[in-house]
Amino acid sequence: MKRLPGATDGDETDRAHGDPDGQAGARHVPVLLPRVLDLLEPALAGRPAVVVDATLGMGGHSAALLAAHPQLTLVGLDRDPQALELAGRRLTAHADRVHLVHAVYDEIADVLGELGLPRVDGILFDLGVSSLQLDADERGFSYSRDSDLDMRMDPTTGPTAADVLNTYAVPDLARILREYGEERFAGRIASAVARRRAERPFTRSAELVELLYAAVPAASRRTGGHPAKRTFQALRIEVNRELEALRAALPAALGSLAVGGRMVVLAYHSLEDRMVKREFAARAASRTPVDLPVELPGHGPELRLLVRGAEPATEDEVTDNPRAASVRLRAAERVREAA
């Protein structure tokens, strides 16, 4: 991980990273912002509190939290150096209360340890691909624009989507498409990829989109949305180890949460949401045997769930911010330390 200054100064950062007018923050609309603020407020208000934005992005949620709570210290994590630079500029007014760290969210315990913060009062995860990454043509996240097949959230390290397509064995590629993209035609697509790469390797997203149009049956294309959506999701998850990182990050984050602290998670597909649901549910359940009439000491729930099930965005929010259409929010409060 790499510790960064709390903010940057001037317009050079945005210009250097594809935002010549410095409007990245202005364009970015944080998903479910009022609801996130409302859920975290009881844990943060009126005292020196610490919150972790584990998926900083362009800093929209963080900026609102810092403005709402003058005594708040914020730790912002992101694996994307470009996002950290832009968020730093956005948070300039609060630089003395901000720690920005180049890290993946499964490193949360290490980051807090280095900062001398064993417990925090709030944690936010806004999972999935960010607006910055999706809108940047050169990053390769979007199937609607031709670009290099990259898809790395941290473009400084690791294999690209092209590497996955060109080197993975057909069974492994089919498994990724099936598990991470929930793609019905995973085997068919993986075989088509193997035939195509034997002629020449994949380099551009348009090449993959063209193959997917040919591989996915016409009937499915008419009713199942864009034929590239599920494959692009699966490749992005594999390239960035998203589910592996989240599986490790959830217990680490909850282990860092003080009693009375709150955690909010925004997930955008069922794989992430199910993982969050299971972790919250296990910790919100009593471990006292059901046939005992009283709660055993140290066996009570660690968490109190703050919303019923997974909460979607309202119709008004989706109208104002279409990227909120698939969001599912879950939130919990820590009520006791782990046994």
Side-chain angles (χ1 to χ4, degrees):
M1 74 194 74
K2 180 182 179 183
R3 178 85 174 276
L4 301 178
T8 57
D9 190 22
D11 295 334
E12 288 77 7
T13 295
D14 290 343
R15 293 195 183 102
H17 295 289
D19 187 24
D21 300 318
Q23 296 299 308
R27 290 196 310 268
H28 175 53
V29 181
V31 172
L32 293 180
L33 179 59
R35 186 67 173 131
V36 168
L37 293 176
D38 179 60
L39 285 165
L40 290 175
E41 193 270 345
L44 307 180
R47 63 190 185 87
V50 178
V51 69
V52 177
D53 188 339
T55 49
L56 182 67
M58 286 188 285
H61 289 104
S62 289
L65 286 164
L66 288 161
H69 303 290
Q71 299 181 71
L72 181 68
T73 295
L74 181 131
V75 179
L77 280 60
D78 208 291
R79 68 175 80 193
D80 188 338
Q82 180 179 355
L84 285 165
E85 293 289 348
L86 293 176
R89 185 176 187 277
R90 184 173 194 166
L91 302 177
T92 298
H94 312 287
D96 60 334
R97 296 189 285 132
V98 171
H99 304 279
L100 301 187
V101 184
H102 182 209
V104 184
Y105 40 68
D106 60 357
E107 300 175 89
I108 186 170
D110 293 335
V111 170
L112 293 175
E114 288 193 4
L115 293 172
L117 299 169
R119 288 289 184 269
V120 299
D121 305 289
I123 301 174
L124 172 64
F125 285 86
D126 185 8
L127 300 169
V129 64
S130 73
S131 299
L132 172 67
Q133 293 158 349
L134 196 61
D135 289 340
D137 291 351
E138 71 278 7
R139 304 292 291 274
F141 288 98
S142 175
Y143 49 78
S144 63
R145 298 183 296 272
D146 185 31
S147 63
D148 289 338
L149 274 167
D150 194 313
M151 298 193 196
R152 291 173 299 172
M153 292 178 177
D154 182 351
T156 69
T157 186
T160 67
D163 294 329
V164 172
L165 287 169
N166 292 324
T167 65
Y168 277 33
V170 170
D172 291 334
L173 188 56
R175 175 186 56 80
I176 289 164
L177 298 180
R178 184 170 52 251
E179 294 180 4
Y180 296 168
E182 299 175 292
E183 173 57 71
R184 286 191 299 150
F185 305 104
R188 185 171 178 166
I189 292 170
S191 295
V193 166
R195 290 191 298 271
R196 162 63 168 73
R197 74 190 187 191
E199 299 174 2
R200 61 186 185 281
F202 287 90
T203 60
R204 304 286 294 180
S205 59
E207 298 167 347
L208 178 58
V209 171
E210 181 181 6
L211 177 142
L212 293 168
Y213 266 106
V216 174
S220 178
R221 296 201 304 268
R222 287 193 293 270
T223 59
H226 198 289
K229 179 179 180 180
R230 291 177 292 276
T231 293
F232 271 63
Q233 174 181 295
L235 290 172
R236 190 201 80 218
I237 290 172
E238 172 66 11
V239 165
N240 296 290
R241 299 176 41 256
E242 291 178 46
L243 296 183
E244 294 175 49
L246 182 60
R247 189 175 293 110
L250 290 173
L254 289 168
S256 301
L257 198 62
V259 173
R262 293 185 167 202
M263 184 160 130
V264 177
V265 183
L266 308 180
Y268 296 84
H269 58 75
S270 59
L271 300 172
E272 293 172 335
D273 183 55
R274 283 198 296 265
M275 197 176 291
V276 177
K277 176 184 177 180
R278 287 194 296 265
E279 188 72 30
F280 278 10
R283 293 170 182 260
S286 170
R287 293 186 294 113
T288 296
V290 295
D291 55 342
L292 291 185
V294 296
E295 189 82 67
L296 292 177
H299 284 61
E302 294 177 32
L303 298 180
R304 178 173 70 92
L305 303 184
L306 300 175
V307 299
R308 183 186 295 272
E311 189 174 293
T314 65
E315 290 184 10
D316 288 343
E317 167 126 12
V318 174
T319 299
D320 292 339
N321 186 8
R323 287 181 179 165
S326 61
V327 72
R328 295 295 182 268
L329 178 148
R330 295 185 187 270
E333 179 181 29
R334 181 153 208 147
V335 294
R336 74 169 182 88
E337 292 286 357

